[in-house]
């Protein structure tokens, strides 16, 4: 039971990771320090697609599922839970490019917002 919960929790974290990789740069518009973890995690997400690096979350989920007596993922996380389930396989490249575009837009918006002078604070007269 514990390993099944761990596997499900890992799957949930993995989904959150994907959302953050794609859209997390927009958080930096509000909280500028958030750009640094986003750069690192977006770089990692990019490297798993381009260079085929294995994701440690996939390994953790596989291990937990095997320990729970279940079958692990036959392919990667995205291939298992998204491709062919949420969108047809033929759109994979298009969706990867769109995700990359969203990341670049968030970074460009971050840079524009950082270069803009801060608005003057209005103080109430005493």
């Amino acid at each position: 039971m514990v390993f099944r919960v761990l596997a499900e929790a890992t799957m949930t974290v993995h989904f959150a990771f994907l959302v953050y990789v794609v859209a997390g740069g927009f958080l930096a518009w509000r909280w500028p320090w958030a750009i640094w973890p986003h750069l690192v995690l977006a770089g990692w997400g990019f490297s798993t697609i381009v260079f085929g690096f294995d994701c440690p979350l996939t390994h953790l989920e596989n291990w937990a599922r095997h320990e729970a007596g279940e079958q692990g993922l036959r392919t990667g996380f995205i291939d298992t839970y998204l491709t062919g389930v949420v969108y047809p396989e033929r759109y994979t490249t298009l969706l990867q490019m769109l995700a990359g575009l969203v990341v670049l837009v968030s970074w460009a918006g971050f840079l524009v917002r950082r270069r803009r002078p801060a608005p003057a604070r209005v103080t109430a007269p005493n």
Side-chain angles (χ1 to χ4, degrees), residues 6-57:
L6 178 60
E8 298 298 321
T10 304
M11 179 185 64
T12 302
V13 168
H14 215 152
F15 273 116
F17 172 81
L18 290 177
V19 170
Y20 183 74
V21 164
V22 174
F26 293 107
L27 293 175
W29 292 19
R30 174 70 172 103
W31 299 288
W33 59 266
I35 196 66
W36 299 111
H38 187 260
L39 287 170
V40 170
L41 295 179
W44 176 258
F46 178 77
S47 70
T48 61
I49 293 170
V50 173
F51 303 115
F53 292 157
D54 292 333
C55 181
L57 289 171

Side-chain angles (χ1 to χ4, degrees), residues 31-101:
W31 299 288
W33 59 266
I35 196 66
W36 299 111
H38 187 260
L39 287 170
V40 170
L41 295 179
W44 176 258
F46 178 77
S47 70
T48 61
I49 293 170
V50 173
F51 303 115
F53 292 157
D54 292 333
C55 181
L57 289 171
T58 302
H59 289 292
L60 178 60
E61 182 179 350
N62 273 333
W63 174 79
R65 291 204 184 280
H66 286 297
E67 291 296 316
E70 299 176 4
Q71 180 181 5
L73 305 179
R74 282 182 249 120
T75 57
F77 178 84
I78 292 174
D79 294 335
T80 300
Y81 295 113
L82 299 176
T83 305
V85 177
V86 176
Y87 58 86
E89 187 173 348
R90 67 181 178 270
Y91 294 127
T92 299
T93 302
L94 174 65
L95 289 172
Q96 288 173 343
M97 291 182 352
L98 286 173
L101 180 63

